[in-house]
Amino acid sequence: MDGIGGAEEAHNAERPQRASGTAKHKDRKKGKPISELEVGQEVTGKVKTITSYGAFVNIGYASDALLHISRMSDDFVSDVNEVVKEGQEVTVRIFSVDKEKNQVSITMRSAEKEAEAVESRNSKRKSRPQRSGGDRAAQSAAMAAMASADYDDDKFVEGEVVSMLDFGAFVRVDTAQVADGLSGEIDGLVHISALTKERVDSVASIVSIGDKVQVRVKSVDGDAGKVSLSMISKADEPPPRKRREGGNKADGKREWRGPEGDMGEADWKNIVENMEQPAFSNSFVLK
């Protein structure tokens, strides 16, 4: 999903900064350098922090490793707490190492399933550069039907991540899951701010192409061909930002907000007239 320079900055402006999610796990700590790790290497660690999208595991290196929810089991996992608990010791394999960002990803999936997932993601990247005209027409029809349907915007359904951008991820959903009488697939946008209730730095830190995710339909604009999805429940979704009151009134007169509340030109003039002024006398200055 956007004086704001871009979509990432817009997202950051919408949320106050807080030390949660991936940010607090980037601080360098004592431990062996992650450059010593190799992809596929098996290590043992202790679960340090649990989030809605995975768990951070202390594996004894200079950075805690992220165990994403999609890599916790060969089967689909909807709740991190069903698989791991804080303080639990786990055996994992190194999935990826980013030395520049000081980030490590780990997996608990079998090597076979991991290889299948990687192959599936690669094939999807090649086979889905553009949607065909027929696909677009089918999606438009599915969106129009969903826009007029009585769907539950608090219901979670399964979807698949099909593409990613800096500001969000597109997830493909079978509309038959959304409401009775619907059919066809739609690609909806999960904005970066709707990936998780915690603040995140990048879309790629939460999802990857080919991941199976749980989403809910927030809104559908059939005319514009847009579907807004969320991976956050309505209860956990942050309230919309309130606009600052003040500025220009309808009559064009500018307001000034002072300690007493909203003040217009008449109030300001009255304060100035009643303000005690210092005595002033004009005299020659001789040097």
Side-chain angles (χ1 to χ4, degrees), residues 18-37:
R18 55 187 182 225
S20 62
T22 58
K24 64 182 178 183
H25 298 278
K26 288 184 178 177
D27 299 334
R28 297 189 180 274
K29 62 189 185 75
K30 293 181 179 179
K32 292 179 285 187
I34 65 172
S35 58
E36 296 181 4
L37 291 168

Side-chain angles (χ1 to χ4, degrees), residues 48 106 118 233 242 269:
K48 185 175 178 181
I106 53 180
V118 171
S233 67
K242 292 182 179 179
K269 181 180 178 182

Side-chain angles (χ1 to χ4, degrees), residues 59-234:
I59 57 173
Y61 283 76
S63 176
D64 292 330
L66 173 62
L67 177 59
H68 192 267
I69 188 171
S70 65
R71 299 192 180 102
M72 288 187 165
S73 171
D74 287 351
D75 300 319
F76 179 76
V77 177
S78 60
D79 185 356
V80 177
N81 293 283
E82 293 177 354
V83 182
V84 295
K85 305 291 182 185
E86 287 188 14
Q88 179 181 341
E89 288 194 358
V90 292
T91 300
V92 297
R93 294 191 324 281
I94 303 301
F95 180 77
S96 66
V97 180
D98 190 327
K99 299 173 187 177
E100 291 183 1
K101 296 182 179 180
N102 196 38
Q103 294 177 345
V104 180
S105 295
I106 53 180
T107 180
M108 290 172 62
R109 291 200 294 193
S110 65
E112 294 78 12
K113 284 292 183 181
E114 203 66 75
E116 288 176 9
V118 171
E119 185 179 351
S120 175
R121 281 196 291 271
N122 290 338
S123 65
K124 285 184 175 75
R125 287 191 181 101
K126 294 176 182 177
S127 63
R128 291 175 179 166
Q130 294 287 339
R131 294 189 63 81
S132 67
D135 262 345
R136 286 196 294 270
Q139 282 220 19
S140 296
M143 286 182 189
M146 191 161 64
S148 59
D150 185 21
Y151 63 87
D152 182 0
D153 62 359
D154 201 23
K155 175 185 177 183
F156 279 89
V157 298
E158 183 177 304
E160 180 182 351
V161 179
V162 293
S163 63
M164 292 163 52
L165 298 168
D166 290 341
F167 56 85
F170 282 93
V171 175
R172 184 161 298 167
V173 175
D174 182 352
T175 59
Q177 302 176 86
V178 179
D180 293 337
L182 296 179
S183 63
E185 293 181 330
I186 55 95
D187 289 354
L189 174 65
V190 181
H191 188 266
I192 187 172
S193 62
L195 289 171
T196 174
K197 62 182 179 182
E198 284 89 11
R199 181 185 175 87
V200 297
D201 294 323
S202 68
V203 176
S205 68
I206 307 299
V207 296
S208 299
I209 293 176
D211 284 352
K212 300 290 186 181
V213 294
Q214 293 286 305
V215 295
R216 63 182 181 85
V217 179
K218 291 179 62 178
S219 63
V220 182
D221 188 338
D223 295 331
K226 295 180 181 179
V227 177
S228 177
L229 306 174
S230 177
M231 290 168 57
I232 308 174
S233 67
K234 289 180 72 173

Side-chain angles (χ1 to χ4, degrees), residues 256-276:
W256 176 78
R257 184 185 293 275
E260 303 297 327
D262 292 340
M263 303 179 69
E265 291 180 359
D267 302 306
W268 176 246
K269 181 180 178 182
N270 186 52
I271 287 178
V272 173
E273 289 176 347
N274 291 298
M275 187 182 296
E276 183 177 348

